[in-house]
């Protein structure tokens, strides 16, 4: 199993922070490795503290399922009991909704990045822009 390096994770957080600042939206940004462990994190001043866990959850979901968190949400749509069960089973680490994407390097998922603080579309734009800037392209987990 390959994992995102700390250098890449820090660069992703910085790129995401810059994009969020450009939007004028304070956000929490999290990068996890391929096993879901937190590698890098930042929460902008003014970002509500509960969004920390949301950002980490989106990153974890993207890494675990090797696809954007919004795609995972679409797969589970309408399966309320299952989604509640998987959330409990993972200690709340599965977070469905826009704003988490896998980090794909050399064809392998090395981690995930998640953002929370804006609309779902803003969160998604921030993480996609960061991955494109740092890793070279947004692979969408495929």
């Amino acid at each position: 199993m390959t994992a995102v390096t700390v250098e890449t994770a820090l660069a992703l957080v910085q790129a995401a922070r810059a994009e969020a600042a450009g939007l004028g939206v304070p956000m929490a940004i999290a990068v996890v490795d391929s096993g879901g462990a937190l590698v890098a994190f930042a929460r902008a001043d003014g970002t509500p503290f509960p969004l920390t866990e949301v950002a980490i959850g989106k990153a974890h979901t993207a890494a675990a399922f090797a696809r954007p968190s919004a795609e995972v949400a679409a797969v589970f749509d309408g399966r309320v009991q299952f989604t509640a069960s998987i959330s409990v089973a993972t200690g709340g680490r599965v977070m469905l909704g826009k704003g988490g994407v896998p980090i794909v390097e050399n064809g392998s998922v090395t981690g995930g990045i998640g953002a929370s603080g804006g609309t779902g579309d803003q969160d998604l734009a921030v993480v996609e822009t960061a991955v494109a800037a740092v890793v070279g392209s947004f692979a969408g987990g495929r």
Side-chain angles (χ1 to χ4, degrees), residues 32-82:
V32 300
D33 66 18
S34 54
L38 187 63
V39 178
F41 175 80
R43 181 171 58 91
D45 295 342
T47 306
F49 71 87
L51 298 183
T52 296
E53 296 303 323
V54 175
I56 294 169
K58 288 178 181 180
H60 182 272
T61 300
F65 290 92
R67 60 177 52 190
S69 55
E71 286 185 18
V72 177
V75 169
F76 296 147
D77 188 40
R79 299 170 65 188
V80 177
Q81 186 173 10
F82 179 77

Side-chain angles (χ1 to χ4, degrees), residues 9-139:
L10 290 170
L12 285 163
V13 167
Q14 285 304 104
R17 289 183 68 217
E19 184 68 16
L23 294 173
V25 180
M27 290 190 181
I29 310 292
V31 175
V32 300
D33 66 18
S34 54
L38 187 63
V39 178
F41 175 80
R43 181 171 58 91
D45 295 342
T47 306
F49 71 87
L51 298 183
T52 296
E53 296 303 323
V54 175
I56 294 169
K58 288 178 181 180
H60 182 272
T61 300
F65 290 92
R67 60 177 52 190
S69 55
E71 286 185 18
V72 177
V75 169
F76 296 147
D77 188 40
R79 299 170 65 188
V80 177
Q81 186 173 10
F82 179 77
T83 56
S85 296
I86 199 166
S87 180
V88 170
T90 62
R93 288 293 186 214
V94 171
M95 182 62 60
L96 304 178
K98 292 181 181 178
V101 297
I103 301 162
V104 180
E105 299 176 273
N106 300 317
S108 296
V109 174
T110 61
I113 180 172
S116 187
T119 66
D121 288 336
Q122 289 172 322
D123 294 349
L124 182 60
V126 164
V127 295
E128 285 182 342
T129 299
V131 171
V134 174
V135 179
S137 66
F138 172 67

